[in-house]
Amino acid sequence: MDALICDVCGGKIVMKAEARAQCEYCGLEYTMERLKEKIIEIKGTVNVQGIATKENLKSRADEFFEHRDLDKALEYYHRYLDLEPTNNDVKEKIKQIDKYKSQVQKPRELLKCTVLEINDWGIRVDPYKGLEGIVHISKLSTKRINSPSEIVNIGDEIWVVCLGRDEMGRVRYSARDGLALEKNNF
């Protein structure tokens, strides 16, 4: 019998404890009733999962990319390339992700970030999901501010310069240095 395939991403459905089933790639959980339906659907049908699987993988990868979850996007793009190794669009997306990820490692790079969290000490920003970092309150503005919320709100997009990593491995940014200062209006 063929493996049960996830409706969402085309991944393999595996049995878990307590009579649960879950897609091993996207984590979607299946009830026993739905598994029985899927088994009935498979019996006596022609296997056409190849095309649907490729489309699902690319669609999921594009969704992850759009939502800046680059690690998941990269995983799904590579799975897609396993099935369709000549797709140049997907190869280009992978190059783009690699470029994005390497930018955070380069101090002095200018990046546009989304403000995720505001604290007394500063803000947490995310240029690309999974590569978030911090901007200390002293690096937010050339003027003295008592709280970061005086100049930014959660969800705002601001320009920052990557300063590198601190001793704890967190990526540090500044919104008041060089080009970032020129692009921000605060």
Side-chain angles (χ1 to χ4, degrees):
M1 182 171 161
D2 291 335
L4 294 175
I5 303 299
C6 177
D7 297 327
V8 175
C9 72
K12 182 178 170 186
I13 298 173
V14 295
M15 292 302 295
K16 297 289 183 181
E18 301 173 10
R20 291 184 312 119
Q22 185 176 26
C23 175
E24 66 182 357
Y25 294 105
C26 72
L28 181 66
E29 290 192 8
Y30 286 85
T31 64
M32 292 309 292
E33 292 79 26
R34 179 62 186 129
L35 284 180
K36 289 175 187 174
E37 289 172 7
K38 286 187 78 55
I39 291 169
I40 291 169
E41 289 170 11
I42 291 174
K43 282 187 176 181
T45 61
V46 176
N47 184 357
V48 292
Q49 79 181 46
I51 293 171
T53 300
K54 284 192 291 190
E55 290 171 2
N56 287 341
L57 289 173
K58 185 166 182 324
S59 173
R60 292 288 288 165
D62 290 341
E63 285 176 31
F64 286 124
F65 183 83
E66 187 177 312
H67 291 92
R68 297 182 182 176
D69 190 344
L70 301 184
D71 291 331
K72 279 284 196 189
L74 205 52
E75 175 188 338
Y76 278 80
Y77 283 135
H78 280 295
R79 289 181 57 212
Y80 179 87
L81 279 181
D82 288 343
L83 300 172
E84 188 70 39
T86 59
N87 188 306
N88 291 328
D89 292 337
V90 170
K91 289 178 182 178
E92 191 58 40
K93 287 278 190 177
I94 290 172
K95 284 180 187 175
Q96 195 175 0
I97 291 170
D98 289 339
K99 179 183 174 192
Y100 288 158
K101 290 179 94 173
S102 69
Q103 281 182 329
V104 172
Q105 303 300 321
K106 295 179 185 174
R108 312 309 316 163
E109 285 286 337
L110 181 67
L111 300 166
K112 191 171 192 175
C113 294
T114 303
V115 176
L116 299 177
E117 184 179 328
I118 299 174
N119 296 299
D120 293 336
W121 52 263
I123 61 174
R124 192 168 52 90
V125 295
D126 189 6
Y128 314 104
K129 193 163 188 173
L131 301 174
E132 63 188 46
I134 60 171
V135 180
H136 190 268
I137 192 170
S138 66
K139 298 290 185 184
L140 268 174
S141 176
T142 55
K143 301 176 187 127
R144 176 160 169 67
I145 57 172
N146 293 319
S147 170
S149 58
E150 292 176 20
I151 56 174
V152 294
N153 295 307
I154 292 175
D156 285 355
E157 291 196 338
I158 64 169
W159 289 94
V160 296
V161 173
C162 181
L163 300 176
R165 294 187 181 270
D166 65 12
E167 61 280 350
M168 295 174 68
R170 297 175 298 201
V171 181
R172 295 179 306 117
Y173 298 106
S174 172
R176 70 173 202 178
D177 292 354
L179 289 173
L181 179 60
E182 293 174 23
K183 289 189 172 249
N184 292 322
N185 296 322
F186 46 81

PDB file of all heavy atoms in Angstrom, residues 6 9 11-14 16 21-28 30 72 75-76 79:
ATOM      1  N   CYS A   6      -0.010  13.840   2.947  1.00  0.00           N
ATOM      2  CA  CYS A   6      -0.659  15.003   3.560  1.00  0.00           C
ATOM      3  C   CYS A   6      -1.433  15.800   2.505  1.00  0.00           C
ATOM      4  O   CYS A   6      -0.941  16.012   1.399  1.00  0.00           O
ATOM      5  CB  CYS A   6       0.394  15.890   4.217  1.00  0.00           C
ATOM      6  SG  CYS A   6      -0.275  17.403   4.941  1.00  0.00           S
ATOM      7  N   CYS A   9       0.752  19.612   2.296  1.00  0.00           N
ATOM      8  CA  CYS A   9       2.107  19.783   1.759  1.00  0.00           C
ATOM      9  C   CYS A   9       2.604  18.604   0.936  1.00  0.00           C
ATOM     10  O   CYS A   9       3.659  18.691   0.330  1.00  0.00           O
ATOM     11  CB  CYS A   9       3.085  20.058   2.900  1.00  0.00           C
ATOM     12  SG  CYS A   9       3.426  18.609   3.916  1.00  0.00           S
ATOM     13  N   GLY A  11       3.545  15.789   2.227  1.00  0.00           N
ATOM     14  CA  GLY A  11       4.461  15.010   3.052  1.00  0.00           C
ATOM     15  C   GLY A  11       3.850  13.680   3.473  1.00  0.00           C
ATOM     16  O   GLY A  11       2.662  13.417   3.268  1.00  0.00           O
ATOM     17  N   LYS A  12       4.660  12.850   4.076  1.00  0.00           N
ATOM     18  CA  LYS A  12       4.227  11.524   4.512  1.00  0.00           C
ATOM     19  C   LYS A  12       3.535  11.624   5.869  1.00  0.00           C
ATOM     20  O   LYS A  12       4.024  12.284   6.780  1.00  0.00           O
ATOM     21  CB  LYS A  12       5.454  10.625   4.619  1.00  0.00           C
ATOM     22  CG  LYS A  12       5.165   9.207   5.007  1.00  0.00           C
ATOM     23  CD  LYS A  12       6.467   8.412   5.028  1.00  0.00           C
ATOM     24  CE  LYS A  12       6.276   7.057   5.627  1.00  0.00           C
ATOM     25  NZ  LYS A  12       7.564   6.359   5.760  1.00  0.00           N
ATOM     26  N   ILE A  13       2.394  10.966   5.994  1.00  0.00           N
ATOM     27  CA  ILE A  13       1.665  10.939   7.259  1.00  0.00           C
ATOM     28  C   ILE A  13       2.155   9.747   8.060  1.00  0.00           C
ATOM     29  O   ILE A  13       2.207   8.621   7.549  1.00  0.00           O
ATOM     30  CB  ILE A  13       0.142  10.834   7.027  1.00  0.00           C
ATOM     31  CG1 ILE A  13      -0.354  12.053   6.262  1.00  0.00           C
ATOM     32  CG2 ILE A  13      -0.592  10.699   8.356  1.00  0.00           C
ATOM     33  CD1 ILE A  13      -1.806  11.959   5.837  1.00  0.00           C
ATOM     34  N   VAL A  14       2.534   9.984   9.316  1.00  0.00           N
ATOM     35  CA  VAL A  14       3.048   8.924  10.181  1.00  0.00           C
ATOM     36  C   VAL A  14       2.184   8.836  11.431  1.00  0.00           C
ATOM     37  O   VAL A  14       1.580   9.809  11.862  1.00  0.00           O
ATOM     38  CB  VAL A  14       4.527   9.168  10.569  1.00  0.00           C
ATOM     39  CG1 VAL A  14       5.422   9.095   9.353  1.00  0.00           C
ATOM     40  CG2 VAL A  14       4.706  10.497  11.265  1.00  0.00           C
ATOM     41  N   LYS A  16       1.443   8.516  15.347  1.00  0.00           N
ATOM     42  CA  LYS A  16       2.034   8.992  16.602  1.00  0.00           C
ATOM     43  C   LYS A  16       1.369   8.247  17.753  1.00  0.00           C
ATOM     44  O   LYS A  16       0.473   7.442  17.559  1.00  0.00           O
ATOM     45  CB  LYS A  16       1.822  10.504  16.760  1.00  0.00           C
ATOM     46  CG  LYS A  16       2.497  11.336  15.696  1.00  0.00           C
ATOM     47  CD  LYS A  16       3.980  11.313  15.883  1.00  0.00           C
ATOM     48  CE  LYS A  16       4.665  12.199  14.869  1.00  0.00           C
ATOM     49  NZ  LYS A  16       6.085  12.202  14.996  1.00  0.00           N
ATOM     50  N   ALA A  21      -2.271  10.665  14.089  1.00  0.00           N
ATOM     51  CA  ALA A  21      -1.424  10.664  12.901  1.00  0.00           C
ATOM     52  C   ALA A  21      -1.054  12.109  12.601  1.00  0.00           C
ATOM     53  O   ALA A  21      -1.831  13.026  12.849  1.00  0.00           O
ATOM     54  CB  ALA A  21      -2.157  10.043  11.726  1.00  0.00           C
ATOM     55  N   GLN A  22       0.153  12.290  12.052  1.00  0.00           N
ATOM     56  CA  GLN A  22       0.639  13.640  11.804  1.00  0.00           C
ATOM     57  C   GLN A  22       1.547  13.634  10.588  1.00  0.00           C
ATOM     58  O   GLN A  22       2.302  12.687  10.366  1.00  0.00           O
ATOM     59  CB  GLN A  22       1.410  14.125  13.038  1.00  0.00           C
ATOM     60  CG  GLN A  22       1.870  15.538  12.984  1.00  0.00           C
ATOM     61  CD  GLN A  22       2.531  15.964  14.294  1.00  0.00           C
ATOM     62  OE1 GLN A  22       3.056  15.144  15.035  1.00  0.00           O
ATOM     63  NE2 GLN A  22       2.495  17.243  14.559  1.00  0.00           N
ATOM     64  N   CYS A  23       1.482  14.722   9.801  1.00  0.00           N
ATOM     65  CA  CYS A  23       2.396  14.876   8.675  1.00  0.00           C
ATOM     66  C   CYS A  23       3.787  15.136   9.242  1.00  0.00           C
ATOM     67  O   CYS A  23       3.951  15.994  10.110  1.00  0.00           O
ATOM     68  CB  CYS A  23       1.971  16.038   7.784  1.00  0.00           C
ATOM     69  SG  CYS A  23       3.164  16.368   6.462  1.00  0.00           S
ATOM     70  N   GLU A  24       4.771  14.388   8.761  1.00  0.00           N
ATOM     71  CA  GLU A  24       6.109  14.539   9.313  1.00  0.00           C
ATOM     72  C   GLU A  24       6.805  15.798   8.843  1.00  0.00           C
ATOM     73  O   GLU A  24       7.844  16.168   9.369  1.00  0.00           O
ATOM     74  CB  GLU A  24       6.964  13.309   9.016  1.00  0.00           C
ATOM     75  CG  GLU A  24       7.277  13.077   7.553  1.00  0.00           C
ATOM     76  CD  GLU A  24       8.082  11.805   7.312  1.00  0.00           C
ATOM     77  OE1 GLU A  24       8.445  11.122   8.275  1.00  0.00           O
ATOM     78  OE2 GLU A  24       8.329  11.512   6.134  1.00  0.00           O
ATOM     79  N   TYR A  25       6.219  16.518   7.867  1.00  0.00           N
ATOM     80  CA  TYR A  25       6.840  17.747   7.374  1.00  0.00           C
ATOM     81  C   TYR A  25       6.160  19.000   7.889  1.00  0.00           C
ATOM     82  O   TYR A  25       6.791  19.865   8.466  1.00  0.00           O
ATOM     83  CB  TYR A  25       6.887  17.769   5.849  1.00  0.00           C
ATOM     84  CG  TYR A  25       7.789  16.700   5.315  1.00  0.00           C
ATOM     85  CD1 TYR A  25       7.277  15.559   4.736  1.00  0.00           C
ATOM     86  CD2 TYR A  25       9.168  16.806   5.437  1.00  0.00           C
ATOM     87  CE1 TYR A  25       8.111  14.560   4.274  1.00  0.00           C
ATOM     88  CE2 TYR A  25      10.010  15.812   4.989  1.00  0.00           C
ATOM     89  CZ  TYR A  25       9.478  14.696   4.396  1.00  0.00           C
ATOM     90  OH  TYR A  25      10.303  13.709   3.955  1.00  0.00           O
ATOM     91  N   CYS A  26       4.853  19.122   7.693  1.00  0.00           N
ATOM     92  CA  CYS A  26       4.176  20.365   8.104  1.00  0.00           C
ATOM     93  C   CYS A  26       3.530  20.267   9.474  1.00  0.00           C
ATOM     94  O   CYS A  26       3.115  21.271  10.036  1.00  0.00           O
ATOM     95  CB  CYS A  26       3.145  20.803   7.062  1.00  0.00           C
ATOM     96  SG  CYS A  26       1.658  19.781   6.983  1.00  0.00           S
ATOM     97  N   GLY A  27       3.407  19.042  10.039  1.00  0.00           N
ATOM     98  CA  GLY A  27       2.880  18.887  11.382  1.00  0.00           C
ATOM     99  C   GLY A  27       1.368  18.816  11.476  1.00  0.00           C
ATOM    100  O   GLY A  27       0.815  18.753  12.570  1.00  0.00           O
ATOM    101  N   LEU A  28       0.666  18.834  10.348  1.00  0.00           N
ATOM    102  CA  LEU A  28      -0.793  18.766  10.364  1.00  0.00           C
ATOM    103  C   LEU A  28      -1.226  17.439  10.990  1.00  0.00           C
ATOM    104  O   LEU A  28      -0.724  16.379  10.632  1.00  0.00           O
ATOM    105  CB  LEU A  28      -1.344  18.871   8.942  1.00  0.00           C
ATOM    106  CG  LEU A  28      -2.857  18.844   8.794  1.00  0.00           C
ATOM    107  CD1 LEU A  28      -3.472  20.097   9.421  1.00  0.00           C
ATOM    108  CD2 LEU A  28      -3.246  18.763   7.330  1.00  0.00           C
ATOM    109  N   TYR A  30      -4.045  14.471  11.888  1.00  0.00           N
ATOM    110  CA  TYR A  30      -5.181  13.817  11.250  1.00  0.00           C
ATOM    111  C   TYR A  30      -5.933  12.983  12.271  1.00  0.00           C
ATOM    112  O   TYR A  30      -5.320  12.306  13.092  1.00  0.00           O
ATOM    113  CB  TYR A  30      -4.715  12.911  10.106  1.00  0.00           C
ATOM    114  CG  TYR A  30      -4.282  13.672   8.886  1.00  0.00           C
ATOM    115  CD1 TYR A  30      -2.993  14.175   8.760  1.00  0.00           C
ATOM    116  CD2 TYR A  30      -5.176  13.917   7.851  1.00  0.00           C
ATOM    117  CE1 TYR A  30      -2.598  14.875   7.654  1.00  0.00           C
ATOM    118  CE2 TYR A  30      -4.795  14.619   6.735  1.00  0.00           C
ATOM    119  CZ  TYR A  30      -3.510  15.095   6.634  1.00  0.00           C
ATOM    120  OH  TYR A  30      -3.136  15.804   5.532  1.00  0.00           O
ATOM    121  N   LYS A  72      12.093  27.268   6.863  1.00  0.00           N
ATOM    122  CA  LYS A  72      11.051  26.374   6.334  1.00  0.00           C
ATOM    123  C   LYS A  72      10.960  26.502   4.818  1.00  0.00           C
ATOM    124  O   LYS A  72      10.813  25.501   4.114  1.00  0.00           O
ATOM    125  CB  LYS A  72       9.691  26.700   6.959  1.00  0.00           C
ATOM    126  CG  LYS A  72       9.503  26.096   8.316  1.00  0.00           C
ATOM    127  CD  LYS A  72       9.223  24.634   8.174  1.00  0.00           C
ATOM    128  CE  LYS A  72       8.653  24.096   9.453  1.00  0.00           C
ATOM    129  NZ  LYS A  72       8.566  22.658   9.443  1.00  0.00           N
ATOM    130  N   GLU A  75      13.721  24.568   3.265  1.00  0.00           N
ATOM    131  CA  GLU A  75      13.453  23.132   3.354  1.00  0.00           C
ATOM    132  C   GLU A  75      12.506  22.680   2.234  1.00  0.00           C
ATOM    133  O   GLU A  75      12.759  21.693   1.543  1.00  0.00           O
ATOM    134  CB  GLU A  75      12.844  22.803   4.720  1.00  0.00           C
ATOM    135  CG  GLU A  75      12.414  21.361   4.875  1.00  0.00           C
ATOM    136  CD  GLU A  75      11.635  21.113   6.168  1.00  0.00           C
ATOM    137  OE1 GLU A  75      11.764  21.894   7.125  1.00  0.00           O
ATOM    138  OE2 GLU A  75      10.894  20.112   6.198  1.00  0.00           O
ATOM    139  N   TYR A  76      11.413  23.419   2.043  1.00  0.00           N
ATOM    140  CA  TYR A  76      10.426  23.033   1.037  1.00  0.00           C
ATOM    141  C   TYR A  76      10.943  23.253  -0.385  1.00  0.00           C
ATOM    142  O   TYR A  76      10.646  22.470  -1.282  1.00  0.00           O
ATOM    143  CB  TYR A  76       9.103  23.771   1.266  1.00  0.00           C
ATOM    144  CG  TYR A  76       8.263  23.103   2.318  1.00  0.00           C
ATOM    145  CD1 TYR A  76       8.509  23.300   3.667  1.00  0.00           C
ATOM    146  CD2 TYR A  76       7.239  22.235   1.959  1.00  0.00           C
ATOM    147  CE1 TYR A  76       7.747  22.673   4.634  1.00  0.00           C
ATOM    148  CE2 TYR A  76       6.473  21.603   2.921  1.00  0.00           C
ATOM    149  CZ  TYR A  76       6.737  21.828   4.257  1.00  0.00           C
ATOM    150  OH  TYR A  76       5.986  21.186   5.201  1.00  0.00           O
ATOM    151  N   ARG A  79      13.117  20.303  -1.116  1.00  0.00           N
ATOM    152  CA  ARG A  79      12.290  19.113  -1.373  1.00  0.00           C
ATOM    153  C   ARG A  79      11.686  19.189  -2.770  1.00  0.00           C
ATOM    154  O   ARG A  79      11.574  18.180  -3.464  1.00  0.00           O
ATOM    155  CB  ARG A  79      11.191  18.987  -0.312  1.00  0.00           C
ATOM    156  CG  ARG A  79      11.748  18.582   1.050  1.00  0.00           C
ATOM    157  CD  ARG A  79      10.690  18.433   2.103  1.00  0.00           C
ATOM    158  NE  ARG A  79       9.673  17.481   1.728  1.00  0.00           N
ATOM    159  CZ  ARG A  79       8.400  17.562   2.078  1.00  0.00           C
ATOM    160  NH1 ARG A  79       7.982  18.559   2.830  1.00  0.00           N
ATOM    161  NH2 ARG A  79       7.533  16.654   1.706  1.00  0.00           N
TER     162      ARG A  79
END
